[in-house]
């Protein structure tokens, strides 16, 4: 039995929760799976079904910096598509059962393109929506400010380095502020939907705490080819309280 069919039997497919391991299944489902391919069924029993998170503010809340139509398409079509394709890719994969999204990204290989691209897409966009604050950003404070000053000299110098990484990423991708394994802040960029959590893939590894999407779909309706103008607008929207919370959670 394929995993998706098995999940339908348990009645939890699409529920947006971690599917409980085997012991939570009904006796009928359990015995049917066991009778066909018990080892495979046990290995694949625990899998997370991911759902599109709420944006957390209205589509027009970031206008005019980021227009409502861009936000609506970006969240409702692009991000929703990554979530749907991630669930489909996981249903066809083995080895990711019971893992969180961060653990999945840490374990994904370069050739597992469905999980790599769509898992990255889901994680990256989830971080991105929260990284922006309607009405403009505040300023870094406390431990985050201390870490930025220690690593970059000032918030302005950090913005400069982050913006350069975003501007110079060739083609589609992301720029990141991330925490390295030495617990230091650093800036990098990645292609496509890769990110520093992908320890089997990423050149620069760590935990992202701020990311900017520089795919053209993030800005083209409003800014066309002027990626630099979009980056400038984004850096004025940064929700620094959220970045602080992300740092504290690393
Ligand atoms: Mn995007």
């Amino acid at each position: 039995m394929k995993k998706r069919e098995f999940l339908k039997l348990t009645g939890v497919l699409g529920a947006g929760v971690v599917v409980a391991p085997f012991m939570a299944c009904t006796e009928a489902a359990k015995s049917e799976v066991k009778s066909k391919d018990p080892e495979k069924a046990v290995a694949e029993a625990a899998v997370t079904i991911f759902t599109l998170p709420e944006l957390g503010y209205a589509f027009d809340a970031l206008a005019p910096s980021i227009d409502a139509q861009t936000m609506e398409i970006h969240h409702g079509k692009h991000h929703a598509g990554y979530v749907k394709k991630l669930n489909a890719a996981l249903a066809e994969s083995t080895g990711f059962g019971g893992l969180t999204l961060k653990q999945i990204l840490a374990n994904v290989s370069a050739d597992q393109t469905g999980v790599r691209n769509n898992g990255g897409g889901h994680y990256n966009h989830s971080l991105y929506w929260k990284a922006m604050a309607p009405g403009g950003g505040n300023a870094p404070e406390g431990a985050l400010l201390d870490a930025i000053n220690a690593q970059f000299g000032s918030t302005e110098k950090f913005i400069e380095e982050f913006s350069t990484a975003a501007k110079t990423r060739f083609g589609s991708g992301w720029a990141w502020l991330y925490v390295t394994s030495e617990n230091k802040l650093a800036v990098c960029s990645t292609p496509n939907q890769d990110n520093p959590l992908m320890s089997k893939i990423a050149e620069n590894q760590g935990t992202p705490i701020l990311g900017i999407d520089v795919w053209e779909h993030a800005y083209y309706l409003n800014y066309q080819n002027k990626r630099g103008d979009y980056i400038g607008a984004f850096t004025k929207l940064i929700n620094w309280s959220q970045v602080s919370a992300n740092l504290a959670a690393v």
Side-chain angles (χ1 to χ4, degrees):
M1 179 183 299
K2 286 185 177 173
K3 183 164 54 168
R4 179 164 291 274
E5 291 164 351
F6 168 67
L7 293 175
K8 276 180 186 162
L9 272 178
T10 67
V12 292
L13 185 63
V17 296
V18 176
V19 175
F22 227 72
M23 61 282 281
C25 303
T26 66
E27 286 303 315
K30 200 190 284 183
S31 59
E32 187 177 342
V33 170
K34 275 187 172 175
S35 67
K36 290 192 175 177
D37 190 351
E39 286 185 15
K40 188 162 184 270
V42 168
E44 296 181 3
V47 66
T48 302
I49 305 294
F50 294 99
T51 55
L52 180 67
E54 294 286 331
L55 191 56
Y57 41 79
F59 291 127
D60 63 358
L62 304 177
S65 298
I66 302 182
D67 62 284
Q69 191 183 10
T70 294
M71 292 298 290
E72 188 168 2
I73 296 170
H74 200 177
H75 180 264
K77 302 293 182 190
H78 290 278
H79 190 175
Y82 295 125
V83 172
K84 188 177 174 188
K85 289 175 189 168
L86 171 61
N87 288 331
L90 289 172
E92 299 300 321
S93 304
T94 53
F96 297 111
L99 301 186
T100 65
L101 183 54
K102 285 173 83 169
Q103 290 168 332
I104 288 170
L105 298 180
N107 283 286
V108 72
S109 305
D111 60 350
Q112 292 174 302
T113 50
V115 175
R116 174 186 182 178
N117 293 337
N118 297 294
H122 179 33
Y123 181 91
N124 298 347
H125 288 85
S126 300
L127 195 74
Y128 175 74
W129 309 129
K130 287 186 160 188
M132 297 180 283
N138 33 19
E141 291 176 351
L144 176 62
L145 180 61
D146 292 345
I148 286 175
N149 286 339
Q151 200 61 43
F152 304 102
S154 66
T155 302
E156 292 68 31
K157 284 184 176 162
F158 158 70
I159 295 288
E160 203 177 300
E161 191 169 326
F162 182 75
S163 301
T164 298
K167 282 175 196 164
T168 56
R169 165 48 52 190
F170 181 76
S172 298
W174 292 74
W176 304 102
L177 173 64
Y178 68 104
V179 181
T180 68
S181 56
E182 288 82 38
N183 218 25
K184 288 186 174 172
L185 294 184
V187 164
C188 73
S189 74
T190 52
N192 305 315
Q193 296 294 353
D194 289 355
N195 70 43
L197 289 170
M198 297 178 178
S199 55
K200 294 183 179 176
I201 299 170
E203 191 180 330
N204 300 288
Q205 296 175 16
T207 305
I209 59 171
L210 171 68
I212 179 172
D213 187 345
V214 294
W215 285 56
E216 285 186 344
H217 67 227
Y219 62 88
Y220 208 83
L221 290 179
N222 198 23
Y223 294 97
Q224 292 82 49
N225 59 318
K226 299 186 286 285
R227 185 191 283 190
D229 290 357
Y230 156 69
I231 294 166
F234 174 90
T235 58
K236 292 181 181 67
L237 290 173
I238 293 172
N239 184 348
W240 289 106
S241 313
Q242 181 64 51
V243 182
S244 275
N246 294 344
L247 175 64
V250 172

